[in-house]
Amino acid sequence: MLLPITQYGSPVLRTKCAPVTEVDDAIRTLADNMLETMYAANGIGLAAPQVDENIQLVVIHIPDDEEEGESEPMAMVNGELVPVKSIMPLVFINPVLEPYGKKEFFLEGCLSVHNIRANVARPTNVKATLTQLDGSVLEIDCGGLLARCLQHECDHLDGFLFVDRVSSAAKITLAKKLKRLAEQR
Ligand code: NI
């Protein structure tokens, strides 16, 4: 089932999400619906507050062809180097993230911030502990688009949006557009 995507200005996008304490059928159904909604919107990640749920649940699907360069994107997963595509889609709760490495700019967008893209500086790499819905845990160490996407999505769980992380000059440029978005929602 497709879910409405909450838009910039919605209070739920600014709240700190509660951990998921029990994975029941409602959570599993929500995760399925979030995946469907993300795919339909051509997104690569979606966090629960973006569908008006104030809980720590995220879905991610990094497409095969998204990264440039000849070599296939890889990630360390539970101590083993594997292709990023082999762990897609990711569906997880209560993530713990440890970004590291030097910060780089990358053009980000968000399904909850319509028609705005902006350069955001974030660390290039991430160590992440992700609990899947079956209770298994993925210890991931990665760079590239997956590291970027993990940071963007987990920001949502803390009530942060990518537009909070742009330079102060860019914030001034974006202010009018964002005000209009908040009024339109
Ligand atoms: Ni987003």
Side-chain angles (χ1 to χ4, degrees), residues 17-63:
C17 293
V20 174
T21 50
E22 196 199 338
V23 175
D24 54 14
D25 283 346
I27 295 285
R28 279 184 281 270
T29 302
L30 176 62
D32 284 346
N33 289 338
M34 283 171 62
L35 277 172
E36 197 182 332
T37 302
M38 176 185 73
Y39 291 134
N42 293 314
I44 63 171
L46 195 68
Q50 295 185 272
V51 292
D52 208 19
E53 295 285 346
N54 186 20
I55 57 172
Q56 294 181 23
L57 170 65
V58 170
V59 301
I60 285 176
H61 195 137
I62 306 289

Side-chain angles (χ1 to χ4, degrees), residues 85-153:
K85 69 179 178 198
S86 73
I87 55 168
M88 295 297 135
L90 284 172
V91 178
F92 56 90
I93 56 171
N94 312 337
V96 181
L97 245 60
E98 195 190 315
Y100 69 98
K102 71 172 174 36
K103 284 188 174 181
E104 272 180 12
F105 281 99
F106 186 83
L107 194 63
E108 294 190 25
C110 178
L111 295 176
S112 294
V113 188
H114 202 60
N115 280 338
I116 290 182
R117 289 163 81 79
N119 276 305
V120 182
R122 300 188 194 266
T124 52
N125 291 70
V126 160
K127 287 180 186 164
T129 304
L130 309 179
T131 304
Q132 303 185 100
L133 297 194
D134 64 2
S136 63
V137 174
L138 297 177
E139 297 284 355
I140 297 181
D141 191 337
C142 66
L145 189 58
L146 178 56
R148 174 66 54 164
C149 188
L150 280 166
Q151 292 177 81
H152 176 116
E153 297 310 327

